[in-house]
Amino acid sequence: MRETDYDLLAEQIRALAETDPWYVPLLANAAALLFDAMEDLNWAGFYLLRDGKLVLGPFQGKHACIHIPVGKGVCGTAAERKESVLVPDVHAFPGHIACDSASRSELVVPLFYSGDLIGVTDLDSPSAGRFSEEDRKGVERIARTLGELLEFP
Ligand code: SME
């Protein structure tokens, strides 16, 4: 499988943020870039924190769960811990929320803005064990880049 070029992704996100850093277009294009740049994904996108729970944000893939309580599923666990969660096999993760039954592995990375958690980046693959530690570090870097550049209400 082709490795993802996270340097290139970060550059592309910087260029997009120069045009408009508003979180809606920036996260929408970031979801599209991640979905294109990372092989073997069936879903890539964001959940954003609103009134204490995660709400579906910009994404690529099949329609998905709209609300995820903090502490539930892989996304809610990453939000609660404020740290990345890499799940090699979702069938072995208690409480995994199956939005797309094709998903077999998942990587969720928190998104911070001005030091506060504002949501998570969620990546799903139909292959077990799709995500490596390199991917975790790479997506954390992308989430950091987004958090530094975006304008959020
Ligand atoms: N599987 C996620 C829910 C979101 S979808 O994968 C898009 C979870 O367990 O949090």
Side-chain angles (χ1 to χ4, degrees):
M1 193 179 55
R2 176 172 46 84
E3 296 292 312
T4 303
D5 186 343
Y6 291 103
D7 291 339
L8 177 61
L9 267 176
E11 251 177 62
Q12 289 170 315
I13 286 168
R14 277 183 196 289
L16 288 166
E18 274 174 29
T19 303
D20 197 330
W22 185 238
Y23 76 106
V24 175
L26 190 57
L27 294 184
N29 269 330
L33 285 173
L34 285 163
F35 196 64
D36 256 1
M38 297 183 76
E39 281 191 358
D40 201 23
L41 297 190
N42 58 306
W43 206 90
F46 300 89
Y47 279 88
L48 299 170
L49 204 54
R50 190 190 63 179
D51 297 335
K53 69 181 164 210
L54 294 169
V55 183
L56 183 63
F59 72 95
Q60 299 265 307
K62 288 195 176 164
H63 78 282
C65 325
I66 296 172
H67 296 138
I68 300 179
V70 170
K72 300 286 178 200
V74 187
C75 291
T77 301
E80 185 175 59
R81 293 184 189 161
K82 296 189 179 166
E83 61 186 36
S84 301
V85 179
L86 196 168
V87 179
D89 182 355
V90 297
H91 298 329
F93 186 91
H96 167 254
I97 300 166
C99 287
D100 181 347
S101 58
S103 300
R104 280 300 307 277
S105 57
E106 188 157 347
L107 173 61
V108 180
V109 172
L111 185 60
F112 295 98
Y113 174 74
S114 292
D116 294 325
L117 181 83
I118 59 162
V120 297
T121 309
D122 181 20
L123 303 166
D124 287 27
S125 169
S127 304
R130 155 67 181 83
F131 302 104
S132 64
E133 277 302 302
E134 289 312 304
D135 290 316
R136 181 181 61 74
K137 286 183 204 145
V139 177
E140 283 174 354
R141 175 172 168 210
I142 296 305
R144 252 192 330 271
T145 304
L146 285 167
E148 282 164 13
L149 298 175
L150 57 73
E151 264 179 32
F152 192 71

